[in-house]
Amino acid sequence: MYKILLISAVLTIAAACSSSKKVVPSQPDLVNVNAAYPDLTLADFNQGKILYGEKCVVCHALKSPKSLSPERWPSMVADMTNKANKKEMRIDPTQEALILKYLVTMSTPGK
Ligand code: HEC
């Protein structure tokens, strides 16, 4: 029930903001958020999504979050953060954590 209320609240907000360019999670995104990290806020989820789009596209096209299992993303993101930081494209630990949460969320099957 809570999930349905949350989804309809977000959809209402999404409809209200549809003229602006805000990133709004889709309904399937929200199901995944609940499955992977029950405490993850939508603000953090969206921030992770934005950072992923900004930071992880510098050297190659964005990989689909579903291209790796949730278990494999932590070492991959750590690896890629090292690569980025060696090339002076700073990804700080807070940003790394948000990107990882976004990718794990999106690769975890919804409940
Ligand atoms: C400094 C350049 C650079 C940045 C920034 C970067 N990558 Fe990569 N990425 C690479 C290179 C080079 C490879 C090739 C394989 C390897 O060296 O591991 C790669 C490979 C990958 C692969 C494996 C692709 C495959 O098909 O096997 C994934 C997934 C990936 N990157 C995700 C990310 C994510 C997520 C981020 C952001 C946190 C990111 N990358 C940022 C350089 C980068």
Side-chain angles (χ1 to χ4, degrees), residues 52 55-56 58-60 63 67-68 73 76-77 79-81 83-84 87 89 91 99 103:
Y52 177 59
K55 303 278 182 183
C56 302
V58 178
C59 304
H60 49 66
K63 316 286 177 187
S67 65
L68 289 185
W73 276 117
M76 179 63 76
V77 170
D79 220 35
M80 292 298 147
T81 298
K83 277 196 209 302
K87 303 237 177 196
M89 305 164 194
I91 300 179
I99 292 171
L103 290 169

Side-chain angles (χ1 to χ4, degrees), residues 6-67:
L6 181 66
I7 289 169
S8 52
V10 169
L11 290 180
T12 309
I13 295 166
C17 305
S18 58
S19 58
S20 71
K21 289 254 185 318
K22 285 213 180 81
V23 177
V24 178
S26 69
Q27 193 164 334
D29 286 354
L30 284 177
V31 172
N32 280 31
V33 167
N34 283 327
Y37 299 100
D39 298 331
L40 182 64
T41 64
L42 286 177
D44 280 356
F45 173 83
N46 280 338
Q47 197 54 40
K49 185 174 185 173
I50 291 166
L51 284 166
Y52 177 59
E54 284 173 6
K55 303 278 182 183
C56 302
V57 76
V58 178
C59 304
H60 49 66
L62 285 180
K63 316 286 177 187
S64 161
K66 294 195 190 318
S67 65

